[in-house]
Amino acid sequence: MKSRYSKLVFDLDGTLYRGRSSIPSAVETINHLKNRADLLFLSNNGNQSATALAQRLRTLGFNVSNDEVISSVTITVEYVSSLQQDASIFVLNSGDLPRALQAAGHRLVAAEEAQFVVVGVDMELTYDKLAQGLFALRNGARFIATNTDAVYPREEGVYPAAGAIVGAFRGMGFEPEQYCGKPDRWAVEKALSLRGMRIGLDCLMVGDHLETDIVGAQNIGVDSVLVLTGVSTREEMIRKGIHPTYVIRDLSELEPILFSDSGSPGG
Ligand SMILES: [Mg+2]
């Protein structure tokens, strides 16, 4: 049977895995959908490259290829490259982003030379780095953020994410000109276009986070599925007034939506 939605965009954290474990029924669902729909795995992770995330997914048993995965690292590099070749960048990120920017032909420089300040999660954040970033922004550098997420879940609890560090600069009076992750409309459209997906009624975004996955889907005008295996709850959905097209307990409930004519939107 043909799926009503032929382009499926899956979130990773809280949707397919949590920490080092896959979420029950996620592996079976994804592997069963392989070759039956076009799949994109889109993560707001601004520290891990798409290749690293694809490898992590395969280790957990998901049958995915590198070109099916896009992270905020990919989108951030695309954004900077769309503005300028050979850009001078002061970067606050302890993950794969600095190397990815260099691989795209950009230069990592000290704050005083920076044309761009790019901020993601930096596990080695110091007061001095914040001060350097501030100097660069006051000197007129353009400000770009990997994503807005304030916190992210680890197995041992919730930790500060990129949005927390971006928040330090917002507290100093600077707003990023671009967030390179969900729910930003440009970022989501860019991710789909990099995967060769044309946005339309046959697109469905699936994720666990109302403000990123569901609002991200709404921002590009496509249907969405909230899966209750991660951060957001039904109660939050009502309180925040964010309404996904479908709500499911876990991914075992996804295929009935895809392969029937009588799904139950909002159910
Ligand atoms: Mg998530």
Side-chain angles (χ1 to χ4, degrees):
M1 191 190 270
K2 212 169 164 330
S3 171
R4 309 167 62 187
Y5 298 98
S6 55
K7 297 166 190 142
L8 307 176
V9 181
F10 287 93
D11 172 56
L12 274 63
D13 226 323
T15 300
L16 303 186
Y17 56 67
R18 203 179 300 118
R20 284 173 286 277
S21 320
S22 63
I23 288 172
S25 77
V27 172
E28 298 86 319
T29 304
I30 296 299
N31 292 353
H32 193 236
L33 289 171
K34 182 94 180 178
N35 302 324
R36 301 172 81 198
D38 290 336
L39 306 182
L40 166 61
F41 301 92
L42 177 58
S43 172
N44 265 9
N45 190 318
N47 273 38
Q48 286 193 281
S49 68
T51 311
L53 288 172
Q55 184 55 50
R56 183 170 168 187
L57 284 169
R58 286 193 290 269
T59 302
L60 291 172
F62 294 96
N63 180 11
V64 306
S65 55
N66 289 357
D67 64 354
E68 289 174 317
V69 182
I70 291 178
S71 77
S72 284
V73 171
T74 322
I75 301 170
T76 303
V77 171
E78 284 286 325
Y79 184 72
V80 175
S81 300
S82 75
L83 297 176
Q84 196 174 319
Q85 300 301 306
D86 189 27
S88 303
I89 304 169
F90 179 72
V91 61
L92 284 183
N93 180 273
S94 53
D96 294 338
L97 183 58
R99 246 177 303 128
L101 287 165
Q102 283 179 309
H106 303 299
R107 281 171 299 125
L108 307 182
V109 299
E112 50 270 24
E113 296 172 55
Q115 300 166 299
F116 296 90
V117 173
V118 177
V119 176
V121 174
D122 190 340
M123 311 251 179
E124 283 103 47
L125 182 68
T126 60
Y127 182 84
D128 185 58
K129 283 190 183 177
L130 288 176
Q132 295 298 316
L134 175 62
F135 299 153
L137 293 173
R138 284 176 56 89
N139 270 337
R142 295 174 71 165
F143 183 16
I144 296 157
T146 56
N147 60 295
T148 52
D149 305 37
V151 296
Y152 74 103
R154 283 197 209 168
E155 271 160 335
E156 58 275 35
V158 169
Y159 280 72
I165 300 176
V166 171
F169 290 102
R170 295 180 67 204
M172 293 185 262
F174 292 90
E175 285 292 332
E177 66 178 53
Q178 183 65 46
Y179 286 100
C180 299
K182 297 171 281 188
D184 182 85
R185 180 181 170 167
W186 177 86
V188 178
E189 286 179 351
K190 180 50 124 181
L192 270 74
S193 84
L194 287 171
R195 180 77 185 99
M197 288 180 169
R198 191 191 292 264
I199 294 165
L201 297 175
D202 57 346
C203 289
L204 184 69
M205 282 179 68
V206 183
D208 68 302
H209 196 188
L210 287 166
E211 283 95 339
T212 57
D213 302 307
I214 307 308
V215 175
Q218 291 171 347
N219 283 346
I220 63 162
V222 305
D223 284 354
S224 62
V225 176
L226 178 72
V227 57
L228 299 170
T229 51
V231 297
S232 298
T233 61
R234 275 183 200 277
E235 183 273 326
E236 244 183 281
M237 195 176 91
I238 295 159
R239 182 160 43 83
K240 294 178 175 170
I242 301 173
H243 303 293
T245 319
Y246 308 93
V247 183
I248 59 178
R249 271 172 302 182
D250 63 42
L251 288 184
S252 68
E253 297 180 354
L254 182 65
E255 289 196 56
I257 292 172
L258 301 179
F259 298 104
S260 87
D261 290 326
S262 54
S264 55

